[in-house]
Amino acid sequence: MPKFMDIHRNMKGLTAEQLREAHQADLDIQGEEGVTFEHAWADTDSGEVFCLSEAPSADAVQRIHERAGHKADEVHQLTLSV
Amino acid sequence: MPKFMDIHRNMKGLTAEQLREAHQADLDIQGEEGVTFEHAWADTDSGEVFCLSEAPSADAVQRIHERAGHKADEVHQLTLSV
């Protein structure tokens, strides 16, 4: 299953509780698209959130994020990994 | 120890061998700055490389990347993680 890194920008000041809730909203529906979100990390100073997932496609990742209320700004398929 | 995600852009067409060599060049000297690179992933179509590390500071991450010959375009401290 391909891996993906997606990026959400302009999230400065995000709290731990907000990140947990947003991530849980993804987890609650990810199975409907065959997506597995593995980690989410935030740089709360500059406002980026990075999500690592396994999924059948970038569109599947984006559909889950959109339905959960937080569309990603970029979704990258990770074609190489070390 | 804080975690960091750094991004290298404009790496379209990077090969698996090139990524392994670049990552190994970081690993070879990371201890001199107290940095531990955990993973590197590349989107070879759009040209981004993402590196996840633990380090004392963003500057320490960047110093290793610069000395290894591939300065990062962005280094983000990951202040939240889920």
Side-chain angles (χ1 to χ4, degrees), chain B residues 11-75:
Chain B
M11 306 288 281
K12 269 187 200 180
L14 186 75
T15 67
E17 181 64 19
Q18 288 170 327
L19 181 62
R20 271 196 303 271
E21 286 178 3
H23 186 58
Q24 189 59 51
D26 290 327
L27 299 185
D28 288 347
I29 58 172
Q30 65 181 6
E32 296 169 27
E33 294 279 357
V35 178
T36 303
F37 284 100
E38 298 181 350
H39 291 283
W41 301 273
D43 176 342
T44 53
D45 291 328
S46 64
E48 281 83 5
V49 174
F50 302 94
C51 301
L52 183 68
S53 62
E54 283 193 353
S57 69
D59 286 348
V61 173
Q62 188 66 285
R63 280 195 294 269
I64 294 297
H65 276 332
E66 282 198 86
R67 288 176 52 202
H70 42 257
K71 185 176 176 180
D73 293 291
E74 302 175 31
V75 182

Side-chain angles (χ1 to χ4, degrees), chain A residues 9 40 42-44 76 79-80 82, chain B residues 9 40 42-44 79-80 82:
Chain A
R9 299 191 183 275
D43 176 342
T44 54
H76 295 283
T79 45
L80 298 177
V82 291
Chain B
R9 300 192 183 275
D43 176 342
T44 53
T79 45
L80 298 177
V82 291

